Amino acid sequence: MHSAKSVRHSALCTLHFQLPTMVIIGVDYGKKRIGLATGDSGSGFVFPQTAIVRQTGRDQVHAVIDVARTEGASHIVVGIPKRLDGKTAVPGDIEREVRTFVKEFEKMSDLTIDVEDERMSTALAKRLCEAAEQKGEKVDEDSVAACVILESYIMRTFGREDVSWLSE
């Protein structure tokens, strides 16, 4: 006979795996490189991809669209700069470039595109990279930042932060 706790756990596990999932690409748009990550909305797992080196004359939008198609993604999430108080950053060069990138992407692709607050993503990515490098692992800081942005989006949008049932 199952206890109420194990029945609840079993029901939650079943519910968890029945959620519709989608593949999402996370983007950390930088001055020199575009960090990329792939994630799954159902599991909440995110994985870094090879960053795109920005080059004059290279179409960054199509490069990201190509990655999205290769990965089977239906959504793109782009990190948008915000101030620490949560307000939109004073428009600077990089914020204008990010907003232009998002507008161009919307024109060129039928994929859904969202923006996500990227506050502190670079700082967290640096810490994660330093920790990985101390263990002898080679990591791409831009793509780790894209992972941080994407993980934040998945947790906020799909409720992946509620994993308390795992400890029961």
Side-chain angles (χ1 to χ4, degrees):
M1 182 163 176
H2 297 289
S3 71
K5 192 175 195 178
S6 69
V7 170
R8 179 173 176 243
H9 174 73
S10 176
L12 285 172
C13 287
T14 302
L15 175 66
H16 173 73
F17 290 109
Q18 291 177 347
L19 294 172
T21 64
M22 66 181 93
V23 176
I24 306 169
I25 301 294
V27 177
D28 179 49
Y29 192 94
K31 291 181 181 182
K32 295 180 182 178
R33 296 163 40 98
I34 299 173
L36 299 173
T38 302
D40 177 89
S41 64
S43 68
F45 292 128
V46 296
F47 303 95
Q49 298 293 325
T50 303
I52 297 169
V53 177
R54 293 185 56 195
Q55 300 170 347
T56 304
R58 182 174 185 189
D59 185 351
Q60 275 68 237
V61 173
H62 276 105
V64 174
I65 290 171
D66 289 345
V67 171
R69 285 188 182 134
T70 300
E71 295 295 321
S74 60
H75 282 63
I76 305 292
V77 176
V78 180
I80 192 89
K82 289 195 175 187
R83 298 185 331 197
L84 288 177
D85 63 6
K87 295 179 183 173
T88 302
V90 176
D93 291 341
I94 194 66
E95 184 189 4
R96 270 193 292 276
E97 286 184 42
V98 170
R99 292 191 184 282
T100 299
F101 174 83
V102 169
K103 287 178 185 172
E104 289 298 313
F105 194 95
E106 289 174 330
K107 289 179 194 173
M108 300 171 129
S109 175
D110 61 348
L111 298 173
T112 301
I113 187 163
D114 287 313
V115 294
E116 180 72 7
D117 180 359
E118 71 167 19
R119 269 181 294 179
M120 307 304 290
S121 64
T122 302
L124 179 55
K126 283 182 183 185
R127 283 185 172 173
L128 292 170
C129 290
E130 287 170 2
E133 288 169 0
Q134 287 178 352
K135 295 178 182 179
E137 298 173 20
K138 176 106 172 101
V139 290
D140 176 357
E141 189 174 301
D142 299 298
S143 292
V144 171
C147 285
V148 171
I149 292 165
L150 183 54
E151 184 175 47
S152 171
Y153 174 82
I154 289 172
M155 290 174 69
R156 184 180 56 75
T157 305
F158 299 98
R160 300 277 38 117
E161 71 273 12
D162 182 19
V163 293
S164 59
W165 58 272
L166 289 173
S167 62
E168 294 180 350

